[in-house]
Amino acid sequence: MSRLKVRADRAVEWPVQLSPSGSIDAPLAAAGPWIVAINGVPKARVSADVANVLKAVDGKKDAAQVAHLLGSPWTAQDVAGIVGQLAHTGIFDGGAAPVAVRRVQFRPPLTVQFTLFNPAPLLEFFRPMVAAMARPGMAGVALLLLLGGLVGAFIAGPSMWRVLATPLPLEAYLYVVAAMFVSTLLHELGHGMALTYFGGTPRRLGIMLFYLSPAFFCDVTDGWRLSSRKQRVLVALAGPLVHVALGSMVLAGQALLPESSVKDAAVLYGVICYAVAVLNLFPFIKLDGYVALMSAVDIPHLRKKSLDALADVVSFRVLGSRRALGPGGLLPWFGLASFVAGIAFMLIGYQRLVPIFLQLGFVGHLVVLAVLCLLLVLALRGVIRFFQAAAAKGSPSWRRLVVVTLGLATIGVLLAIIPVRAVTIAGYTYQGGQLKIVMPVQGPSQALSPGDAVTLQSQGMILHENLGRATIDDQPPSNSMAPLDTLVPVALAGDTLPVIAFSGRLESGTNLSSSGRAEVASHHETSLGEWLWESITSSPLWPWQAGPTADSTKGQP
């Protein structure tokens, strides 16, 4: 008889029954696990014996009657232990309430999903094609395809650096955006196709905001019903493999194209496809690499369990609470890496999107404020839950008070001592030996002042090569016109836009292009706290603002 540890660690009032939102899903193969699910979301994997217990509780029988129904060797203690151990999932009455199928769903810690359609019928139609691609001989074809892509990338050579580090025609970017949209959709369909091939059923396909970045998603949680770890790993890796295949085909094919915007777009698209595939293998965020690792080690909810193990260790060593989860092995270290990676991804998303929204004026600032408030609420809720759990595990109140006091004091000291220099992204023109640092007319031009250090760079979509250094001199700024590629990495011949131009004194750099990107670092240094306060009070949302001010600029320690 295979079952969970019979440990009644949660108070359960008998008789119990399955909640309306709960289900016991049968395995896809004879040796596969049964799945305890709430509203279609897997919560635990159980054996067939445990599944029989769960199906036997009907709200009328007590533990002894259920054990008698199941027969020897079941006992009332066994049945009560299984029910108690699974009570936390919400599978029984009084647990999770049924929810309507919503198109918009929030997934912690910071993901919002919008369902477009059910992909199962479409993927079932393509199942014969996937079966043909899964034949043993296709591995050699895939290897040749990858080799062709790498050879194509090598042939691109110097042109690849040019494509990544200099402005490209607008049509090249349009080609890449359209291709990335299609390939990202194919990436998610790749997960669904693999799951369908192994006998599972994808539930939803849609778009999401993942750590403040837009992306597609395909719900393949049904993969936990697969009995083979290898199959679950392949389902997770199917998406990155799609990107590798697409990137390889395009990089191999671009070698046959003449120099044109189409060739530039192909090179850029191929590089992005490879980069997306590598990024998706990162195991510390809920990306494909994490799912593959979780499937390989066969630990469902690995990230949550590792974060719980980390919290248990910190609570024990810092707050003096009892250990609830045991040593944990490498789980706390994986939890630490996941915690740091989550913060890093949110900061990257913040740096990518916030400057764009701040250029939208009042509405953009309102969106940024809403996101920051959401992040603060999530962080505060996490801290409160951490201290509540520590208190429940016997942490002395005086110790918690000391830790909170020291934590607040540390935050205050860091705000006061961390130096910050405001950094403004601008452009430059260099003609006839004269250097001009330019800003859009509606931009934060007053953020630039004489003596500020300027790093002159190439205006690429991916890379910004350092070309020289300069300093803003003391001549007053003037209105002027500048090429579009001073501010955005788009090459449009003859297109100019009105700017405010500051005279610059070139200090180094002998091979400057006629225009490019400029990174201006203020020579005025403030503390992190002062910079945050100035950013808040300069926002158009600040009610006591004396007059119109420019958008706040980005700071770097």
Side-chain angles (χ1 to χ4, degrees), residues 94-105:
V99 297
V101 178
R102 296 180 303 228
R103 285 192 175 271
V104 180
Q105 298 184 24

Side-chain angles (χ1 to χ4, degrees), residues 14-16 52-71 74-76 79-80 83:
W14 286 83
V16 298
N52 289 332
V53 173
L54 297 178
K55 290 187 290 184
V57 294
D58 57 2
K60 299 177 182 179
K61 303 180 185 69
D62 59 21
Q65 291 171 322
V66 171
H68 178 74
L69 175 67
L70 295 173
W74 288 101
T75 66
V79 173
V83 170

Side-chain angles (χ1 to χ4, degrees), residues 127-139 193-194 197-198 234:
R127 185 175 182 179
M129 182 186 70
V130 178
M133 295 172 58
R135 292 173 180 171
M138 294 300 294
M193 286 182 180
Y197 172 73
F198 292 125
L234 289 175

Side-chain angles (χ1 to χ4, degrees), residues 498-513:
V499 296
I500 297 177
F502 296 77
S503 295
R505 183 172 62 255
L506 186 64
E507 297 179 350
S508 64
T510 57
N511 192 26
L512 292 179
S513 58

Side-chain angles (χ1 to χ4, degrees), residues 17-38:
Q17 63 182 355
L18 294 182
S19 67
S21 62
S23 63
I24 311 299
D25 300 334
L28 296 175
W34 289 71
I35 300 296
V36 174
I38 301 294

Side-chain angles (χ1 to χ4, degrees), residues 301-361:
H301 308 293
L302 174 62
R303 191 172 190 273
K304 180 182 183 302
K305 291 178 180 178
S306 63
L307 290 173
D308 289 344
L310 174 65
D312 190 55
V313 171
V314 173
S315 178
F316 170 70
R317 296 192 177 276
V318 177
L319 299 180
S321 62
R322 297 185 302 272
R323 293 294 298 271
L325 301 178
L330 295 178
L331 273 181
W333 293 105
F334 188 86
L336 178 61
S338 300
F339 179 77
V340 173
I343 294 176
F345 264 64
M346 283 188 281
L347 290 177
I348 291 172
Y350 178 90
Q351 288 184 333
R352 285 180 55 191
L353 298 178
V354 166
I356 298 175
F357 280 103
L358 292 181
Q359 296 296 325
L360 301 179

Side-chain angles (χ1 to χ4, degrees), residues 380-424:
L380 183 61
R381 187 177 66 174
V383 171
I384 291 175
R385 288 181 175 178
F386 172 73
F387 279 94
Q388 287 176 338
K393 291 184 288 186
S395 171
S397 57
W398 67 265
R399 198 158 178 169
R400 283 177 277 134
L401 180 62
V402 169
V403 170
V404 170
T405 303
L406 290 177
L408 293 175
T410 300
I411 292 175
V413 170
L414 293 177
L415 289 174
I417 66 173
I418 293 180
V420 172
R421 291 183 185 272
V423 175
T424 304

